[in-house]
Amino acid sequence: EAQVTQNPRYLITVTGKKLTVTCSQNMNHEYMSWYRQDPGLGLRQIYYSMNVEVTDKGDVPEGYKVSRKEKRNFPLILESPSPNQTSLYFCASSLYSIAGGLDTQYFGPGTRLTVL
Amino acid sequence: SQKIEQNSEALNIQEGKTATLTCNYTNYSPAYLQWYRQDPGRGPVFLLLIRENEKEKRKERLKVTFDTTLKQSLFHITASQPADSATYLCALANSGYALNFGKGTSLLVTP
């Protein structure tokens, strides 16, 4: 089954304790992306990646890191989490083309993060 | 600044009627626009993509229009059903690969 998986699904942590949210897709998509969703603010893009070793900032990259060492994985790293990073996080993947841009984006189930 | 605006008020309609949701944008020249459905606590699910050179796209009971002069997309669900109740998001990209989402419109279809 084609899918995007994220782990963990729920996480409660404390300020300053480094954490990683993993994301994996089994569709051989080049493009992967991380979003956060907050009430009243909607979905905002954090980082995206066009392919292995190629990443770029989205609208709200501050406080986050990503890496793309393998095509299927795109982990989101919070080196020193703060309470304002409490949010619902989604990973997504997609095919894309130079001519057509992004195709269907497939989203993961979400990771609900609480930073105390 | 760039803006994507969707009706913040929930849309309540009766089963069987056509639901029409609006997505307006400013300071974008989108190459394409996408519509997604999102259920509470779940990831968005892709519905339709329409490109700048397309006026209309259909998929089963769904229809999307894209007017680059008005800077607006309309999303229609015909013969709506209670199962269509969800939040609907529009997303667009000027070109390339950074996709920006509207805040979504909540649709409630009552029997």
Side-chain angles (χ1 to χ4, degrees):
Chain A
E1 180 192 352
Q3 61 181 354
V4 177
T5 56
Q6 297 178 227
N7 282 294
R9 294 289 314 281
Y10 303 90
L11 179 59
I12 301 174
T13 189
V14 296
T15 298
K17 187 176 180 182
K18 181 180 179 179
L19 67 92
T20 299
V21 183
T22 64
C23 174
S24 183
Q25 51 97 2
N26 63 359
M27 294 168 279
N28 203 35
H29 288 162
E30 294 92 352
Y31 181 95
M32 296 186 75
S33 181
W34 276 103
Y35 298 88
R36 61 178 289 175
Q37 188 171 37
D38 303 287
L41 295 176
L43 266 171
R44 293 178 293 167
Q45 192 172 43
I46 303 170
Y47 270 96
Y48 63 96
S49 169
M50 304 301 296
N51 214 325
V52 174
E53 303 293 0
V54 180
T55 62
D56 213 342
K57 295 178 181 178
D59 291 326
V60 289
E62 295 77 20
Y64 304 94
K65 283 175 57 176
V66 293
S67 71
R68 188 91 182 271
K69 292 184 168 49
E70 303 166 285
K71 196 172 188 178
R72 63 182 292 127
N73 296 324
F74 191 43
L76 179 70
I77 303 155
L78 285 72
E79 295 269 2
S80 183
S82 63
N84 65 12
Q85 293 178 298
T86 293
S87 188
L88 179 58
Y89 290 86
F90 290 103
C91 180
S93 75
S94 172
L95 289 172
Y96 80 91
S97 66
I98 301 296
L102 291 178
D103 207 306
T104 305
Q105 267 202 113
Y106 294 84
F107 281 80
T111 294
R112 190 168 290 281
L113 173 65
T114 301
V115 183
L116 302 174
Chain B
S1 62
Q2 294 180 322
K3 280 186 186 176
I4 303 170
E5 294 179 330
Q6 297 185 253
N7 285 350
S8 57
E9 289 183 16
L11 179 63
N12 293 345
I13 65 166
Q14 202 171 13
E15 183 176 8
K17 302 289 187 187
T18 296
T20 298
L21 287 71
T22 305
C23 177
N24 294 306
Y25 58 90
T26 54
N27 293 324
Y28 279 95
S29 297
Y32 54 90
L33 188 148
Q34 301 182 349
W35 282 90
Y36 290 79
R37 169 189 172 133
Q38 187 175 25
D39 294 287
R42 308 192 72 161
V45 175
F46 173 83
L47 296 174
L48 281 167
L49 179 153
I50 186 164
R51 301 196 182 278
E52 60 180 333
N53 60 348
E54 297 174 316
K55 292 268 193 259
E56 182 179 297
K57 206 100 175 260
R58 291 175 186 261
K59 179 182 174 183
E60 297 172 353
R61 294 185 296 112
L62 309 180
K63 184 177 86 171
V64 171
T65 62
F66 193 12
D67 189 326
T68 55
T69 302
L70 291 179
K71 298 187 183 300
Q72 180 181 78
S73 175
L74 298 178
F75 177 80
H76 307 273
I77 307 175
T78 58
S80 59
Q81 304 165 0
D84 294 326
S85 298
T87 295
Y88 291 85
L89 308 171
C90 72
L92 51 86
N94 276 333
S95 62
Y97 319 112
L99 201 60
N100 299 119
F101 282 79
K103 294 177 185 177
T105 298
S106 176
L107 172 67
L108 179 63
V109 182
T110 52

